[in-house]
PDB file of all heavy atoms in Angstrom:
ATOM      1  N   LEU S  24     109.466 117.424  95.293  1.00 94.00           N
ATOM      2  CA  LEU S  24     108.478 117.097  94.262  1.00 94.00           C
ATOM      3  C   LEU S  24     107.565 118.293  94.035  1.00 94.00           C
ATOM      4  O   LEU S  24     107.169 118.961  94.985  1.00 94.00           O
ATOM      5  CB  LEU S  24     107.628 115.911  94.720  1.00 94.00           C
ATOM      6  CG  LEU S  24     108.406 114.665  95.128  1.00 94.00           C
ATOM      7  CD1 LEU S  24     107.540 113.771  95.990  1.00 94.00           C
ATOM      8  CD2 LEU S  24     108.879 113.937  93.899  1.00 94.00           C
ATOM      9  N   GLU S  25     107.233 118.538  92.773  1.00 92.00           N
ATOM     10  CA  GLU S  25     106.216 119.534  92.482  1.00 92.00           C
ATOM     11  C   GLU S  25     105.449 119.114  91.244  1.00 92.00           C
ATOM     12  O   GLU S  25     105.891 118.265  90.483  1.00 92.00           O
ATOM     13  CB  GLU S  25     106.789 120.937  92.330  1.00 92.00           C
ATOM     14  CG  GLU S  25     107.952 121.096  91.427  1.00 92.00           C
ATOM     15  CD  GLU S  25     108.437 122.541  91.411  1.00 92.00           C
ATOM     16  OE1 GLU S  25     109.169 122.947  92.323  1.00 92.00           O
ATOM     17  OE2 GLU S  25     108.068 123.243  90.455  1.00 92.00           O
ATOM     18  N   CYS S  26     104.281 119.668  91.102  1.00 89.00           N
ATOM     19  CA  CYS S  26     103.400 119.366  89.988  1.00 89.00           C
ATOM     20  C   CYS S  26     103.041 120.676  89.326  1.00 89.00           C
ATOM     21  O   CYS S  26     102.565 121.594  89.991  1.00 89.00           O
ATOM     22  CB  CYS S  26     102.156 118.652  90.517  1.00 89.00           C
ATOM     23  SG  CYS S  26     100.927 118.328  89.266  1.00 89.00           S
ATOM     24  N   GLN S  27     103.269 120.783  88.014  1.00 89.00           N
ATOM     25  CA  GLN S  27     102.985 122.041  87.334  1.00 89.00           C
ATOM     26  C   GLN S  27     101.671 122.019  86.565  1.00 89.00           C
ATOM     27  O   GLN S  27     101.000 123.038  86.481  1.00 89.00           O
ATOM     28  CB  GLN S  27     104.139 122.393  86.412  1.00 89.00           C
ATOM     29  CG  GLN S  27     105.405 122.645  87.203  1.00 89.00           C
ATOM     30  CD  GLN S  27     106.582 122.965  86.324  1.00 89.00           C
ATOM     31  OE1 GLN S  27     106.505 122.893  85.105  1.00 89.00           O
ATOM     32  NE2 GLN S  27     107.693 123.326  86.940  1.00 89.00           N
ATOM     33  N   THR S  28     101.289 120.869  86.004  1.00 90.00           N
ATOM     34  CA  THR S  28     100.067 120.842  85.194  1.00 90.00           C
ATOM     35  C   THR S  28      99.124 119.686  85.540  1.00 90.00           C
ATOM     36  O   THR S  28      97.995 119.915  85.914  1.00 90.00           O
ATOM     37  CB  THR S  28     100.402 120.778  83.694  1.00 90.00           C
ATOM     38  OG1 THR S  28     101.221 119.637  83.448  1.00 90.00           O
ATOM     39  CG2 THR S  28     101.111 122.043  83.230  1.00 90.00           C
ATOM     40  N   THR S  29      99.601 118.449  85.410  1.00 91.00           N
ATOM     41  CA  THR S  29      98.745 117.276  85.587  1.00 91.00           C
ATOM     42  C   THR S  29      99.060 116.580  86.905  1.00 91.00           C
ATOM     43  O   THR S  29     100.223 116.258  87.174  1.00 91.00           O
ATOM     44  CB  THR S  29      98.974 116.278  84.429  1.00 91.00           C
ATOM     45  OG1 THR S  29      98.760 116.969  83.199  1.00 91.00           O
ATOM     46  CG2 THR S  29      98.026 115.109  84.523  1.00 91.00           C
ATOM     47  N   PRO S  30      98.050 116.330  87.740  1.00 93.00           N
ATOM     48  CA  PRO S  30      98.296 115.606  88.996  1.00 93.00           C
ATOM     49  C   PRO S  30      98.929 114.236  88.733  1.00 93.00           C
ATOM     50  O   PRO S  30      98.691 113.629  87.683  1.00 93.00           O
ATOM     51  CB  PRO S  30      96.897 115.441  89.599  1.00 93.00           C
ATOM     52  CG  PRO S  30      96.072 116.492  88.955  1.00 93.00           C
ATOM     53  CD  PRO S  30      96.645 116.673  87.575  1.00 93.00           C
ATOM     54  N   TYR S  31      99.731 113.776  89.676  1.00 93.00           N
ATOM     55  CA  TYR S  31     100.314 112.441  89.562  1.00 93.00           C
ATOM     56  C   TYR S  31     100.454 111.820  90.942  1.00 93.00           C
ATOM     57  O   TYR S  31     100.321 112.490  91.956  1.00 93.00           O
ATOM     58  CB  TYR S  31     101.660 112.475  88.824  1.00 93.00           C
ATOM     59  CG  TYR S  31     102.763 113.227  89.509  1.00 93.00           C
ATOM     60  CD1 TYR S  31     103.669 112.578  90.343  1.00 93.00           C
ATOM     61  CD2 TYR S  31     102.920 114.606  89.333  1.00 93.00           C
ATOM     62  CE1 TYR S  31     104.693 113.268  90.970  1.00 93.00           C
ATOM     63  CE2 TYR S  31     103.943 115.301  89.951  1.00 93.00           C
ATOM     64  CZ  TYR S  31     104.822 114.617  90.759  1.00 93.00           C
ATOM     65  OH  TYR S  31     105.832 115.312  91.378  1.00 93.00           O
ATOM     66  N   SER S  32     100.717 110.522  90.961  1.00 93.00           N
ATOM     67  CA  SER S  32     100.862 109.818  92.238  1.00 93.00           C
ATOM     68  C   SER S  32     102.308 109.401  92.443  1.00 93.00           C
ATOM     69  O   SER S  32     103.078 109.272  91.490  1.00 93.00           O
ATOM     70  CB  SER S  32      99.948 108.595  92.290  1.00 93.00           C
ATOM     71  OG  SER S  32     100.317 107.677  91.284  1.00 93.00           O
ATOM     72  N   ILE S  33     102.649 109.178  93.713  1.00 93.00           N
ATOM     73  CA  ILE S  33     103.989 108.742  94.105  1.00 93.00           C
ATOM     74  C   ILE S  33     103.829 107.507  94.976  1.00 93.00           C
ATOM     75  O   ILE S  33     103.000 107.479  95.891  1.00 93.00           O
ATOM     76  CB  ILE S  33     104.704 109.828  94.917  1.00 93.00           C
ATOM     77  CG1 ILE S  33     104.833 111.084  94.082  1.00 93.00           C
ATOM     78  CG2 ILE S  33     106.069 109.358  95.387  1.00 93.00           C
ATOM     79  CD1 ILE S  33     105.007 112.295  94.917  1.00 93.00           C
ATOM     80  N   LEU S  34     104.633 106.493  94.708  1.00 92.00           N
ATOM     81  CA  LEU S  34     104.639 105.270  95.506  1.00 92.00           C
ATOM     82  C   LEU S  34     106.062 105.054  95.993  1.00 92.00           C
ATOM     83  O   LEU S  34     107.013 105.232  95.223  1.00 92.00           O
ATOM     84  CB  LEU S  34     104.187 104.086  94.657  1.00 92.00           C
ATOM     85  CG  LEU S  34     104.036 102.759  95.373  1.00 92.00           C
ATOM     86  CD1 LEU S  34     102.857 102.811  96.346  1.00 92.00           C
ATOM     87  CD2 LEU S  34     103.811 101.653  94.366  1.00 92.00           C
ATOM     88  N   VAL S  35     106.229 104.713  97.266  1.00 92.00           N
ATOM     89  CA  VAL S  35     107.563 104.476  97.825  1.00 92.00           C
ATOM     90  C   VAL S  35     107.695 102.983  98.129  1.00 92.00           C
ATOM     91  O   VAL S  35     106.919 102.420  98.888  1.00 92.00           O
ATOM     92  CB  VAL S  35     107.799 105.313  99.101  1.00 92.00           C
ATOM     93  CG1 VAL S  35     109.203 105.069  99.640  1.00 92.00           C
ATOM     94  CG2 VAL S  35     107.587 106.795  98.826  1.00 92.00           C
ATOM     95  N   GLU S  36     108.672 102.351  97.492  1.00 90.00           N
ATOM     96  CA  GLU S  36     108.943 100.930  97.682  1.00 90.00           C
ATOM     97  C   GLU S  36     110.188 100.769  98.545  1.00 90.00           C
ATOM     98  O   GLU S  36     111.023 101.648  98.554  1.00 90.00           O
ATOM     99  CB  GLU S  36     109.185 100.249  96.319  1.00 90.00           C
ATOM    100  CG  GLU S  36     108.001 100.309  95.373  1.00 90.00           C
ATOM    101  CD  GLU S  36     106.882  99.365  95.754  1.00 90.00           C
ATOM    102  OE1 GLU S  36     107.016  98.611  96.751  1.00 90.00           O
ATOM    103  OE2 GLU S  36     105.862  99.384  95.079  1.00 90.00           O
ATOM    104  N   PRO S  37     110.385  99.697  99.244  1.00 88.00           N
ATOM    105  CA  PRO S  37     109.678  98.421  99.201  1.00 88.00           C
ATOM    106  C   PRO S  37     108.478  98.335 100.141  1.00 88.00           C
ATOM    107  O   PRO S  37     107.915  97.272 100.311  1.00 88.00           O
ATOM    108  CB  PRO S  37     110.743  97.417  99.610  1.00 88.00           C
ATOM    109  CG  PRO S  37     111.600  98.149 100.576  1.00 88.00           C
ATOM    110  CD  PRO S  37     111.602  99.578 100.077  1.00 88.00           C
ATOM    111  N   TRP S  38     108.061  99.429 100.747  1.00 82.00           N
ATOM    112  CA  TRP S  38     106.933  99.381 101.681  1.00 82.00           C
ATOM    113  C   TRP S  38     105.593  99.241 100.974  1.00 82.00           C
ATOM    114  O   TRP S  38     104.608  98.920 101.608  1.00 82.00           O
ATOM    115  CB  TRP S  38     106.867 100.654 102.520  1.00 82.00           C
ATOM    116  CG  TRP S  38     108.007 100.862 103.451  1.00 82.00           C
ATOM    117  CD1 TRP S  38     108.139 100.331 104.710  1.00 82.00           C
ATOM    118  CD2 TRP S  38     109.154 101.669 103.247  1.00 82.00           C
ATOM    119  NE1 TRP S  38     109.297 100.760 105.280  1.00 82.00           N
ATOM    120  CE2 TRP S  38     109.949 101.591 104.407  1.00 82.00           C
ATOM    121  CE3 TRP S  38     109.590 102.454 102.188  1.00 82.00           C
ATOM    122  CZ2 TRP S  38     111.147 102.267 104.535  1.00 82.00           C
ATOM    123  CZ3 TRP S  38     110.788 103.125 102.320  1.00 82.00           C
ATOM    124  CH2 TRP S  38     111.558 103.028 103.484  1.00 82.00           C
ATOM    125  N   ALA S  39     105.535  99.556  99.675  1.00 70.00           N
ATOM    126  CA  ALA S  39     104.260  99.660  98.955  1.00 70.00           C
ATOM    127  C   ALA S  39     103.360 100.614  99.732  1.00 70.00           C
ATOM    128  O   ALA S  39     102.246 100.306 100.118  1.00 70.00           O
ATOM    129  CB  ALA S  39     103.600  98.304  98.759  1.00 70.00           C
ATOM    130  N   SER S  40     103.926 101.769  99.984  1.00 69.00           N
ATOM    131  CA  SER S  40     103.260 102.808 100.764  1.00 69.00           C
ATOM    132  C   SER S  40     101.940 103.196 100.119  1.00 69.00           C
ATOM    133  O   SER S  40     101.693 102.878  98.962  1.00 69.00           O
ATOM    134  CB  SER S  40     104.159 104.038 100.824  1.00 69.00           C
ATOM    135  OG  SER S  40     104.237 104.636  99.539  1.00 69.00           O
ATOM    136  N   PRO S  41     101.119 103.929 100.846  1.00 78.00           N
ATOM    137  CA  PRO S  41      99.945 104.476 100.165  1.00 78.00           C
ATOM    138  C   PRO S  41     100.418 105.381  99.035  1.00 78.00           C
ATOM    139  O   PRO S  41     101.479 105.993  99.134  1.00 78.00           O
ATOM    140  CB  PRO S  41      99.240 105.285 101.254  1.00 78.00           C
ATOM    141  CG  PRO S  41     100.172 105.382 102.400  1.00 78.00           C
ATOM    142  CD  PRO S  41     101.228 104.348 102.232  1.00 78.00           C
ATOM    143  N   ALA S  42      99.658 105.433  97.958  1.00 88.00           N
ATOM    144  CA  ALA S  42     100.020 106.328  96.853  1.00 88.00           C
ATOM    145  C   ALA S  42      99.680 107.758  97.270  1.00 88.00           C
ATOM    146  O   ALA S  42      98.567 108.027  97.686  1.00 88.00           O
ATOM    147  CB  ALA S  42      99.276 105.931  95.594  1.00 88.00           C
ATOM    148  N   PHE S  43     100.651 108.624  97.174  1.00 93.00           N
ATOM    149  CA  PHE S  43     100.455 110.028  97.510  1.00 93.00           C
ATOM    150  C   PHE S  43     100.142 110.782  96.232  1.00 93.00           C
ATOM    151  O   PHE S  43     100.851 110.637  95.242  1.00 93.00           O
ATOM    152  CB  PHE S  43     101.716 110.606  98.157  1.00 93.00           C
ATOM    153  CG  PHE S  43     102.192 109.823  99.342  1.00 93.00           C
ATOM    154  CD1 PHE S  43     103.341 109.071  99.273  1.00 93.00           C
ATOM    155  CD2 PHE S  43     101.469 109.829 100.529  1.00 93.00           C
ATOM    156  CE1 PHE S  43     103.779 108.346 100.367  1.00 93.00           C
ATOM    157  CE2 PHE S  43     101.895 109.113 101.624  1.00 93.00           C
ATOM    158  CZ  PHE S  43     103.056 108.361 101.545  1.00 93.00           C
ATOM    159  N   GLU S  44      99.098 111.572  96.234  1.00 93.00           N
ATOM    160  CA  GLU S  44      98.715 112.373  95.072  1.00 93.00           C
ATOM    161  C   GLU S  44      99.279 113.782  95.215  1.00 93.00           C
ATOM    162  O   GLU S  44      99.180 114.389  96.280  1.00 93.00           O
ATOM    163  CB  GLU S  44      97.201 112.460  94.948  1.00 93.00           C
ATOM    164  CG  GLU S  44      96.533 111.133  94.649  1.00 93.00           C
ATOM    165  CD  GLU S  44      96.809 110.626  93.246  1.00 93.00           C
ATOM    166  OE1 GLU S  44      96.865 111.447  92.310  1.00 93.00           O
ATOM    167  OE2 GLU S  44      96.966 109.405  93.094  1.00 93.00           O
ATOM    168  N   ILE S  45      99.851 114.288  94.114  1.00 94.00           N
ATOM    169  CA  ILE S  45     100.346 115.660  94.089  1.00 94.00           C
ATOM    170  C   ILE S  45      99.561 116.404  93.008  1.00 94.00           C
ATOM    171  O   ILE S  45      99.417 115.916  91.893  1.00 94.00           O
ATOM    172  CB  ILE S  45     101.850 115.700  93.794  1.00 94.00           C
ATOM    173  CG1 ILE S  45     102.592 115.019  94.916  1.00 94.00           C
ATOM    174  CG2 ILE S  45     102.316 117.128  93.610  1.00 94.00           C
ATOM    175  CD1 ILE S  45     104.060 115.182  94.893  1.00 94.00           C
ATOM    176  N   THR S  46      99.049 117.566  93.365  1.00 94.00           N
ATOM    177  CA  THR S  46      98.255 118.361  92.438  1.00 94.00           C
ATOM    178  C   THR S  46      99.027 119.620  92.031  1.00 94.00           C
ATOM    179  O   THR S  46     100.018 119.977  92.663  1.00 94.00           O
ATOM    180  CB  THR S  46      96.901 118.740  93.086  1.00 94.00           C
ATOM    181  OG1 THR S  46      97.151 119.438  94.295  1.00 94.00           O
ATOM    182  CG2 THR S  46      96.071 117.504  93.388  1.00 94.00           C
ATOM    183  N   PRO S  47      98.567 120.299  90.968  1.00 93.00           N
ATOM    184  CA  PRO S  47      99.298 121.482  90.497  1.00 93.00           C
ATOM    185  C   PRO S  47      99.562 122.505  91.598  1.00 93.00           C
ATOM    186  O   PRO S  47      98.732 122.722  92.480  1.00 93.00           O
ATOM    187  CB  PRO S  47      98.362 122.052  89.418  1.00 93.00           C
ATOM    188  CG  PRO S  47      97.669 120.842  88.885  1.00 93.00           C
ATOM    189  CD  PRO S  47      97.442 119.970  90.101  1.00 93.00           C
ATOM    190  N   ASP S  48     100.758 123.070  91.513  1.00 89.00           N
ATOM    191  CA  ASP S  48     101.239 124.119  92.419  1.00 89.00           C
ATOM    192  C   ASP S  48     101.523 123.645  93.838  1.00 89.00           C
ATOM    193  O   ASP S  48     101.778 124.467  94.718  1.00 89.00           O
ATOM    194  CB  ASP S  48     100.276 125.318  92.451  1.00 89.00           C
ATOM    195  CG  ASP S  48     100.174 125.963  91.077  1.00 89.00           C
ATOM    196  OD1 ASP S  48     101.198 126.042  90.384  1.00 89.00           O
ATOM    197  OD2 ASP S  48      99.060 126.365  90.704  1.00 89.00           O
ATOM    198  N   GLU S  49     101.481 122.343  94.090  1.00 92.00           N
ATOM    199  CA  GLU S  49     101.862 121.822  95.413  1.00 92.00           C
ATOM    200  C   GLU S  49     103.363 121.599  95.461  1.00 92.00           C
ATOM    201  O   GLU S  49     103.968 121.202  94.472  1.00 92.00           O
ATOM    202  CB  GLU S  49     101.172 120.481  95.700  1.00 92.00           C
ATOM    203  CG  GLU S  49      99.797 120.601  96.220  1.00 92.00           C
ATOM    204  CD  GLU S  49      99.288 119.274  96.754  1.00 92.00           C
ATOM    205  OE1 GLU S  49      99.364 118.266  96.054  1.00 92.00           O
ATOM    206  OE2 GLU S  49      98.796 119.293  97.890  1.00 92.00           O
ATOM    207  N   ARG S  50     103.925 121.822  96.612  1.00 92.00           N
ATOM    208  CA  ARG S  50     105.343 121.509  96.856  1.00 92.00           C
ATOM    209  C   ARG S  50     105.379 120.428  97.927  1.00 92.00           C
ATOM    210  O   ARG S  50     104.869 120.625  99.034  1.00 92.00           O
ATOM    211  CB  ARG S  50     106.101 122.742  97.297  1.00 92.00           C
ATOM    212  CG  ARG S  50     106.244 123.759  96.209  1.00 92.00           C
ATOM    213  CD  ARG S  50     107.259 124.820  96.593  1.00 92.00           C
ATOM    214  NE  ARG S  50     107.436 125.768  95.515  1.00 92.00           N
ATOM    215  CZ  ARG S  50     108.288 125.603  94.524  1.00 92.00           C
ATOM    216  NH1 ARG S  50     109.040 124.529  94.468  1.00 92.00           N
ATOM    217  NH2 ARG S  50     108.408 126.525  93.590  1.00 92.00           N
ATOM    218  N   CYS S  51     105.978 119.302  97.570  1.00 96.00           N
ATOM    219  CA  CYS S  51     106.034 118.159  98.478  1.00 96.00           C
ATOM    220  C   CYS S  51     107.455 117.602  98.484  1.00 96.00           C
ATOM    221  O   CYS S  51     108.294 117.999  97.683  1.00 96.00           O
ATOM    222  CB  CYS S  51     105.060 117.066  98.022  1.00 96.00           C
ATOM    223  SG  CYS S  51     103.345 117.614  97.949  1.00 96.00           S
ATOM    224  N   ALA S  52     107.695 116.661  99.393  1.00 97.00           N
ATOM    225  CA  ALA S  52     109.005 116.013  99.455  1.00 97.00           C
ATOM    226  C   ALA S  52     108.852 114.629 100.074  1.00 97.00           C
ATOM    227  O   ALA S  52     107.975 114.398 100.905  1.00 97.00           O
ATOM    228  CB  ALA S  52     109.979 116.834 100.287  1.00 97.00           C
ATOM    229  N   ILE S  53     109.716 113.740  99.640  1.00 96.00           N
ATOM    230  CA  ILE S  53     109.911 112.457 100.305  1.00 96.00           C
ATOM    231  C   ILE S  53     111.250 112.575 101.003  1.00 96.00           C
ATOM    232  O   ILE S  53     112.263 112.886 100.373  1.00 96.00           O
ATOM    233  CB  ILE S  53     109.935 111.281  99.302  1.00 96.00           C
ATOM    234  CG1 ILE S  53     108.605 111.160  98.551  1.00 96.00           C
ATOM    235  CG2 ILE S  53     110.304 109.975 100.012  1.00 96.00           C
ATOM    236  CD1 ILE S  53     107.435 110.679  99.373  1.00 96.00           C
ATOM    237  N   VAL S  54     111.261 112.360 102.315  1.00 96.00           N
ATOM    238  CA  VAL S  54     112.489 112.434 103.101  1.00 96.00           C
ATOM    239  C   VAL S  54     112.776 111.030 103.626  1.00 96.00           C
ATOM    240  O   VAL S  54     112.006 110.488 104.416  1.00 96.00           O
ATOM    241  CB  VAL S  54     112.345 113.422 104.279  1.00 96.00           C
ATOM    242  CG1 VAL S  54     113.637 113.488 105.075  1.00 96.00           C
ATOM    243  CG2 VAL S  54     111.937 114.805 103.775  1.00 96.00           C
TER     244      VAL S  54
END
């Protein structure tokens, strides 16, 4: 996952995990 301009959130189901926020220029991953 990466964000180039506008921050966004990620939710992982079926756990209804906490929403993870990704901001510009961050590199993230769901494994």
Side-chain angles (χ1 to χ4, degrees):
L24 306 160
E25 50 182 81
C26 176
Q27 296 179 354
T28 57
T29 305
Y31 65 93
S32 63
I33 300 157
L34 185 69
V35 181
E36 298 286 358
W38 294 276
S40 69
F43 306 109
E44 294 290 323
I45 296 190
T46 57
D48 298 322
E49 277 192 309
R50 291 193 178 273
C51 301
I53 298 290
V54 180

